[in-house]
């Protein structure tokens, strides 16, 4: 049980600990109790309807120990600063109710998570997915696959993630002197709240 708790809303980013693990994961709430969730060819379905998404362009992210570009060498590019970048295809996904957020879908090769048979979220549970759809240990994967093993009891959620406090590139060691050099600039303070989708009216 949980005192003074409440069920998260669709689109919330929450903190959850997988079964048998001591590591906290950050995932997005996709399905609520009673919802039917499925993934077909990488496209998310909620209650039998396609969750709309649109391609918004590529985003270049520096390649480091924590952000690799394993999907395809064709996504690698050399920047003017001499560093190697991964060009990530970004899709803006909009849930029922208008909450929207960016997802990464490489689309280079099918992943196991691109196909998830429809399943109804049980009472008191939520269905969680990561925004990096091709590389996320979430509700689509079994515990044996280092995933969440399906919908998660909402009581197991530690809370809602509000913003990024800091981000490291994976090069830091036990020595505190290495921590500053591994700090990723530009990510601290970034809000994790989904935005409301702006409806565009076409004259066509």
């Amino acid at each position: 049980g949980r005192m003074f708790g409440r069920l998260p809303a669709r689109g919330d980013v929450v903190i959850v600990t997988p079964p048998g693990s001591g590591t906290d994961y950050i995932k997005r709430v996709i399905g609520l109790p009673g919802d039917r969730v499925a993934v077909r060819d990488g496209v998310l379905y909620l209650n039998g309807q396609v969750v709309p998404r649109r391609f918004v362009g590529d985003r270049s992210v520096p390649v480091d120990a924590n952000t690799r570009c394993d999907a395809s060498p064709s996504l690698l590019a050399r920047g003017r600063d001499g560093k190697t970048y991964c060009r990530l295809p970004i899709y803006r996904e909009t849930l029922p109710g208008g909450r929207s957020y960016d997802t990464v879908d490489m689309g280079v090769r099918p992943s196991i998570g691109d196909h998830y048979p429809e399943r109804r979220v049980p009472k008191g549970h939520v269905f969680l997915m990561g925004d990096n759809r091709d590389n996320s240990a979430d509700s689509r994967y079994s515990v044996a696959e280092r995933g969440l093993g399906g919908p998660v009891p909402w009581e197991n959620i530690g809370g809602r993630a509000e913003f990024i406090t800091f981000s490291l590139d994976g090069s830091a060691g036990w020595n505190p002197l290495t921590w500053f050099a591994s700090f990723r600039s530009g990510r601290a303070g970034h809000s994790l709240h989904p935005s409301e989708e702006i409806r565009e009216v076409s004259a066509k």
Side-chain angles (χ1 to χ4, degrees):
R2 179 188 291 255
M3 295 181 65
F4 310 116
R6 68 174 179 85
L7 192 71
R10 285 197 200 99
D12 281 350
V13 177
V14 298
I15 302 168
V16 62
T17 303
S21 171
T23 303
D24 291 336
Y25 287 7
I26 304 292
K27 303 297 174 186
R28 190 176 299 279
V29 177
I30 297 297
L32 298 177
D35 283 342
R36 292 177 287 114
V37 181
V39 180
R40 300 168 191 153
D41 295 322
V43 177
L44 176 63
Y45 286 74
L46 194 59
N47 297 319
Q49 301 296 317
V50 173
V51 173
R53 70 172 189 167
R54 57 187 174 87
F55 179 66
V56 295
D58 293 335
R59 186 173 300 161
S60 294
V61 177
V63 174
D64 55 38
N66 283 338
T67 304
R68 298 184 299 273
C69 200
D70 300 332
S72 173
S74 65
L75 297 174
L76 291 171
R78 182 75 64 178
R80 293 181 179 178
D81 56 4
K83 296 181 180 179
T84 303
Y85 289 82
C86 186
R87 292 182 293 105
L88 301 178
I90 305 298
Y91 292 84
R92 190 75 169 169
E93 196 168 79
T94 304
L95 292 171
R99 303 185 84 184
S100 62
Y101 45 87
D102 291 342
T103 64
V104 177
D105 188 351
M106 297 297 220
V108 177
R109 60 174 183 240
S111 68
I112 299 175
D114 283 342
H115 301 280
Y116 183 84
E118 185 177 85
R119 179 174 178 182
R120 187 179 295 276
V121 181
K123 181 180 179 181
H125 289 63
V126 290
F127 194 92
L128 305 177
M129 293 179 68
D131 291 343
N132 186 344
R133 293 298 166 78
D134 294 316
N135 186 23
S136 176
D138 54 37
S139 290
R140 294 172 293 171
Y141 300 94
S142 67
V143 174
E145 295 169 312
R146 306 182 77 176
L148 297 176
V152 176
W154 79 271
E155 293 178 347
N156 292 0
I157 293 175
R160 189 172 71 174
E162 299 289 343
F163 58 88
I164 297 173
T165 53
F166 66 91
S167 180
L168 302 177
D169 63 13
S171 64
W174 62 267
N175 188 339
L177 296 177
T178 65
W179 299 350
F180 182 78
S182 68
F183 182 77
R184 288 167 166 163
S185 62
R187 297 197 184 190
H190 178 74
S191 174
L192 295 175
H193 286 284
S195 63
E196 300 297 329
E197 178 72 0
I198 298 175
R199 306 291 181 180
E200 295 182 359
V201 179
S202 173
K204 295 181 180 179

